[in-house]
């Protein structure tokens, strides 16, 4: 009988399936190509990343968008960020519209556990949050990062409150340690249940460069001060020190994978979301520009891929032009992920280059832009890229092979190149523009998000108060939110000058009971991460609160003790423009109400 069973198994291979490899994507924030010692930086110390670099296949001509959210939108969707409608980091321009099939959904539909630890920046409320877009678990701060108006008021990256599947939790420690710690815990407790996709997105080294210990900067202070002076040296030292914490955690994560026996068959990708900030004055790998720039220093970033069991060409470089939106189709191709009938993407698979690094795929022209405007404009802050050429703003042409520092403008010398890139741009613009600035619409009253928190960073207006520091100082710029009632019924709206966690009267200022546990180059952070003053709070002479929902409007009087005003409206299952305002004694607008909580009754 045993022989019969054994023979049966031998002839039934279809019933025995090898476990799919795990996938981990680590993406740092504002971490430039030159901010890694292995890339030639003579100052920074990154032993963990250097080791990963030496043991990985490196893409040396890999491009993203020049700012945070657009890069993340392109990475997750496989589309140009412009076409994914992620065109800004605030104003609702960072919400990746619903209805697009994105990376975690593909992994989830293919039988993977899907977890995210860190910065999302692709939408604060339903239906845009990570847990609405395919992630089983999510631990992170406010949508745009620490200190944004969607974040917990007193967060400064040290001993903070974090959103865990949509609910606030307190965690001790420095933010990157918290996220990598959660990642290691998941690997130890659930890493062997079934294959997993992990998206690990740090909030550092994005400024402000807060640290839990000033001594982390000591290794850099003296050398940098001699070259740049004390003030600039301190800023760079804090920037480098925060990268150092990530570097340490990359090593710890890899160690955990090894201890659990998961290191061989885990695809580990390391990348950044845009070019450098403070560190580029030290070393920028010969490139021009940094974060926000459409010169190469703004969007050419590190990209390492490590997969021992995959037999890819570790220790080699891929010099070909590739980009963030190529990652999704590559993983689909590499892992045979389940996809809809037609996956609507702009990127392409570079699977073949993993095994043949010098392979050149068919030539194409790529585009990167950083307009960050409500009204898009052709060729504004835009670059067209090929393997050899960069055409910036339709007026500066550079031969990137001969002139990597982009110093010599060849626009007049190569009219035929300019003409071809212009034609390519027209095709690109027609492709990405339909409904490109359509306002974000947040669903309120949905069972999966019973209390919707609207904050001023998502006001659809230029100059909106996107961080608590600006709101605390009483910014007068305000605008609307756009919401849709999930079902017909009665809804309640709670309007506040200050978020509910500080529970302060509308016309007063908070008194914080906060221990100093974070420092940046300017010193201790006794109040808010985006404010160094001892008392950054400004009282406003508010006497009335006003809420307008489309054609519905109501005004409520307040007194000096009122912390919030409650409004109730009967709503239809439709879209509304919501505007919340704080008024003075003459019922004139002082500012918008920066924080609004929405519930279905």
């Amino acid at each position: 009988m045993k022989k019969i069973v054994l023979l049966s198994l031998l002839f039934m291979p279809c019933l025995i399936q090898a476990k799919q490899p795990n996938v981990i994507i680590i993406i740092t924030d504002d971490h430039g190509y030159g901010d890694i010692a292995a890339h030639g930086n003579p100052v920074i110390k990154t032993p963990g990343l250097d080791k990963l670099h030496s043991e990985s296949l490196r893409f040396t001509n890999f491009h993203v968008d020049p700012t945070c959210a657009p890069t993340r939108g392109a990475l997750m969707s496989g589309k140009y960020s412009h076409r994914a409608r992620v065109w800004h980091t605030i104003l609702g321009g960072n919400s990746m519209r619903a209805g697009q099939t994105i990376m975690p959904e593909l992994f989830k539909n293919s039988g993977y556990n899907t977890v995210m630890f860190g910065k999302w920046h692709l939408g604060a409320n339903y239906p845009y949050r990570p847990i609405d877009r395919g992630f089983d678990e999510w631990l992170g701060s406010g949508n745009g990062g620490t200190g944004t108006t969607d974040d917990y008021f007193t967060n400064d990256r040290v001993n903070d409150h974090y959103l865990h599947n949509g609910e606030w939790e307190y965690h001790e420690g420095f933010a990157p340690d918290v996220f990598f710690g959660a990642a290691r815990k998941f690997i130890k407790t659930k890493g062997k249940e079934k294959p997993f996709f992990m998206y690990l997105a740090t909030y550092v080294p994005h400024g402000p460069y807060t640290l839990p210990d000033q001594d982390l900067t000591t290794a850099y202070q003296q050398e940098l001060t001699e070259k740049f002076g004390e003030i600039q040296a301190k800023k760079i030292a804090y920037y480098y020190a925060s990268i150092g914490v990530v570097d340490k955690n990359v090593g710890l994560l890899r160690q955990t994978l090894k201890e659990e026996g998961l290191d061989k068959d885990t695809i580990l990708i390391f990348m950044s979301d845009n070019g450098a900030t403070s560190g580029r004055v030290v070393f920028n790998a010969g490139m021009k520009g940094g974060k926000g720039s459409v010169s190469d220093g703004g969007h050419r970033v590190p990209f390492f891929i490590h997969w021992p069991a995959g037999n890819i060409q570790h220790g080699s470089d891929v010099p070909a032009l590739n980009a963030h939106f190529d990652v999704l189709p590559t993983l689909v191709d590499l892992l045979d992920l389940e996809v809809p009938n037609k996956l609507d993407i702009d990127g392409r698979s570079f699977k073949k280059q993993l095994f043949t690094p010098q392979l050149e795929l068919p030539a194409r022209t790529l585009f990167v832009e950083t307009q960050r405007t409500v009204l898009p404009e052709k060729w504004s802050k835009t670059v067209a890229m090929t393997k050899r050429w960069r055409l910036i703003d339709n007026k500066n042409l550079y031969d990137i092979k001969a002139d990597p520092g982009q110093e010599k403008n060849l626009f007049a010398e190569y009219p035929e190149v300019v003409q071809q890139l212009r034609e390519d741009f027209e095709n690109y613009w027609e492709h990405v523009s339909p409904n490109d600035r359509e306002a974000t619409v947040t669903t309120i009253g949905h069972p999966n998000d019973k209390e919707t928190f609207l904050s001023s960073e998502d006001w659809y207006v230029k100059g909106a108060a996107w961080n608590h520091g600006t709101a605390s100082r009483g910014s007068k710029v305000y605008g609307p939110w756009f919401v849709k009632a999930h079902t017909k019924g009665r809804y309640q709206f709670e309007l506040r000058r200050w978020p509910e966690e500080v529970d302060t009267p509308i016309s007063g200022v908070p008194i914080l009971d906060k221990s100093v546990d974070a420092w940046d180059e300017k010193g201790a952070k006794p109040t808010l991460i985006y404010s160094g003053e001892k008392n950054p709070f400004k009282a406003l002479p508010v006497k009335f609160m006003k809420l307008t929902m489309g054609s519905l409007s109501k005004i409520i009087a307040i007194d000096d003790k009122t912390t919030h005003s409650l409004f109730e409206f009967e709503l239809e299952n439709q879209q509304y423009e919501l505007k919340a305002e704080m008024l003075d004694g003459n019922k004139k607008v002082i500012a918008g109400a920066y924080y609004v909580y929405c519930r279905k009754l």
Side-chain angles (χ1 to χ4, degrees), residues 22-333:
N22 309 304
V23 178
I24 300 175
I25 297 178
I26 301 173
I27 181 169
T28 50
D29 198 352
D30 292 2
H31 185 185
Y33 186 93
D35 296 326
I36 297 173
H39 284 170
N41 190 308
V43 176
I44 198 167
K45 299 169 180 63
T46 52
L49 291 176
D50 295 348
K51 188 173 189 295
L52 181 61
H53 173 275
S54 69
E55 297 172 352
S56 297
L57 178 63
R58 292 90 54 154
F59 285 65
T60 58
N61 195 11
F62 189 88
H63 295 262
V64 295
D65 282 89
T67 57
C68 310
T71 287
R72 297 159 200 274
L75 176 67
M76 290 290 109
S77 69
K79 299 178 182 178
Y80 279 111
S81 58
H82 191 142
R83 195 160 82 93
R85 302 178 198 164
V86 183
W87 49 272
H88 207 326
T89 55
I90 54 174
L91 313 188
N94 57 355
S95 294
M96 186 165 53
R97 304 306 189 268
Q100 304 180 73
T101 302
I102 66 171
M103 191 178 292
E105 293 169 323
L106 292 174
F107 275 103
K108 188 178 181 70
N109 292 340
S110 299
Y112 277 67
N113 277 330
T114 54
V115 294
M116 181 193 166
F117 306 113
K119 181 175 181 176
W120 179 234
H121 211 175
L122 293 174
N125 295 299
Y126 186 87
Y128 309 111
R129 304 168 302 170
I131 50 175
D132 306 319
R133 307 303 296 267
F135 283 107
D136 300 319
E137 182 181 3
W138 159 49
L139 180 70
S141 299
N143 178 40
T146 314
T148 58
T149 55
D150 184 59
D151 193 27
Y152 199 85
F153 192 66
T154 54
N155 279 356
D156 54 19
R157 297 204 185 103
V158 183
N159 302 327
D160 286 351
H161 289 79
Y162 297 87
L163 285 165
H164 188 204
N165 292 341
E167 301 296 331
W168 290 111
E169 288 182 354
Y170 175 76
H171 291 260
E172 290 189 354
F174 187 35
D177 294 329
V178 170
F179 296 133
F180 276 91
R184 294 196 304 274
K185 180 180 178 181
F186 173 86
I187 291 167
K188 291 177 180 178
T189 58
K190 297 182 180 180
K192 297 177 183 178
E193 287 182 357
K194 59 180 180 177
F196 64 83
F197 167 60
M198 178 183 292
Y199 182 47
L200 185 46
T202 74
Y203 288 88
V204 297
H206 193 296
Y209 311 127
T210 48
L211 294 170
D213 184 353
Q214 299 175 85
D215 290 342
L216 293 171
T217 68
T218 303
Y220 298 112
Q221 289 279 9
Q222 183 175 347
E223 181 178 359
L224 290 170
T225 299
E226 291 172 357
K227 294 182 179 180
F228 300 102
E230 184 178 355
I231 295 176
Q232 189 173 17
K234 286 188 75 172
K235 191 170 187 178
I236 300 168
Y238 273 80
Y239 175 79
Y240 278 178
S242 61
I243 293 173
V245 175
V246 172
D247 182 83
K248 173 199 71 176
N249 275 293
V250 169
L252 292 173
L253 182 74
R254 295 187 67 193
Q255 180 181 329
T256 299
L257 287 169
K258 186 174 182 179
E259 290 170 352
E260 296 299 316
L262 298 172
D263 56 320
K264 302 297 184 186
D265 211 14
T266 293
I267 299 172
L268 178 60
I269 293 173
F270 176 85
M271 61 181 292
S272 176
D273 67 348
N274 50 247
T277 53
S278 294
R280 70 186 181 95
V281 298
V282 178
F283 181 76
N284 204 28
M287 296 183 291
K288 179 181 179 181
K291 177 181 179 177
S293 169
V294 291
S295 296
D296 268 31
H299 48 84
R300 178 179 164 228
V301 299
F303 186 89
F304 310 154
I305 181 165
H306 176 79
W307 183 24
N311 296 315
I312 63 176
Q313 294 298 302
H314 297 123
S316 300
D317 295 330
V318 176
L321 181 68
N322 284 287
H324 46 11
F325 61 15
D326 296 328
V327 176
L328 185 148
T330 299
L331 292 173
V332 169
D333 189 14

Side-chain angles (χ1 to χ4, degrees), residues 264 353 473 514 544 586:
K264 302 297 184 186
Q353 292 174 328
R473 291 188 288 273
K514 180 179 181 293
F544 299 92
N586 295 317

Side-chain angles (χ1 to χ4, degrees), residues 563-581:
T563 58
H564 60 277
S565 293
L566 293 176
F567 295 77
E568 293 184 10
F569 288 125
E570 292 286 341
L571 301 182
E572 300 294 325
N573 173 218
Q574 66 182 48
Q575 182 177 321
Y576 293 86
E577 180 178 300
L578 188 160
K579 189 173 287 187
E581 299 166 309

